[in-house]
Amino acid sequence: MLDLDYFKQINDRFGHNCGDRVLQEVAAVLRSALRDDDLVVRLGGEEFAVLLPSATARVTMDIAGRLARMIGDIKLPDDDGNDAMISVTVSIGVTIGGDVGEGEIDLPTALLIADRALYQAKQGGRNRIIYADPTLPTAMMMPSAPPPPASPDGSREV
């Protein structure tokens, strides 16, 4: 799973047309960097899933690193024609599925584990890759969530 860092700020600062161009460029990078049998899906907003059939953990991490570098190299002019004004970084949560150790990790479970790793990448400062080993029990645990935001009167909803 990968999520573009601070994408809302791109939309807010440069406008939704520029944000759409960033998404199109990221999609083009993902398609060009992967094998024919790999699958890229936009899940919504600025979040994508990349499925790499038969890739090992090491290969998956190598590909994630390459994708992060390629996305980080994206530089687009804004709508005013300024060069290299828009750039983007990405946070990535990685795991593997299928036959793993003595069990099998199905696709919904692998996506859940990768999503939790993505959450950890975001919480850890963004612009990073976190691998979650699906054979470890901790991969199934949700990281501690921050407390809910305080309401204007200072109380917290639970």
Side-chain angles (χ1 to χ4, degrees):
M1 304 276 288
L2 62 90
D3 190 79
L4 303 181
D5 298 326
Y6 303 108
F7 185 72
K8 182 180 181 323
Q9 291 178 4
I10 292 172
N11 276 336
D12 291 348
R13 181 173 176 200
F14 298 104
H16 290 275
N17 287 338
C18 288
D20 289 348
R21 285 195 330 227
V22 169
L23 290 172
Q24 291 167 356
E25 188 68 23
V26 167
V29 163
L30 294 173
R31 281 192 307 270
S32 72
L34 298 171
R35 305 168 296 185
D36 288 341
D37 61 337
D38 296 334
L39 180 65
V40 177
V41 179
R42 181 175 172 209
L43 298 174
E46 66 277 10
E47 189 172 49
F48 296 82
V50 177
L51 305 177
L52 307 170
S54 70
T56 64
R58 173 167 294 290
V59 168
T60 301
M61 284 297 291
D62 289 346
I63 291 171
R66 186 177 70 220
L67 293 176
R69 284 188 301 279
M70 292 175 74
I71 290 169
D73 287 343
I74 294 172
K75 305 288 185 263
L76 295 173
D78 64 13
D79 283 341
D80 295 328
N82 299 313
D83 287 335
M85 289 295 298
I86 303 173
S87 61
V88 65
T89 59
V90 65
S91 296
I92 303 177
V94 176
T95 195
I96 56 173
D99 293 328
V100 179
E102 295 185 18
E104 183 171 329
I105 305 296
D106 62 13
L107 180 59
T109 302
L111 288 172
L112 178 64
I113 293 169
D115 190 52
R116 290 176 178 170
L118 171 61
Y119 177 84
Q120 291 175 339
K122 292 285 195 182
Q123 291 298 105
R126 293 182 167 81
N127 193 22
R128 62 188 62 222
I129 301 165
I130 299 290
Y131 175 77
D133 184 336
T135 64
L136 299 178
T138 55
M140 297 304 291
M141 293 192 298
M142 184 63 172
S144 297
S151 64
D153 67 359
S155 64
R156 295 192 184 273
E157 292 185 24
V158 253

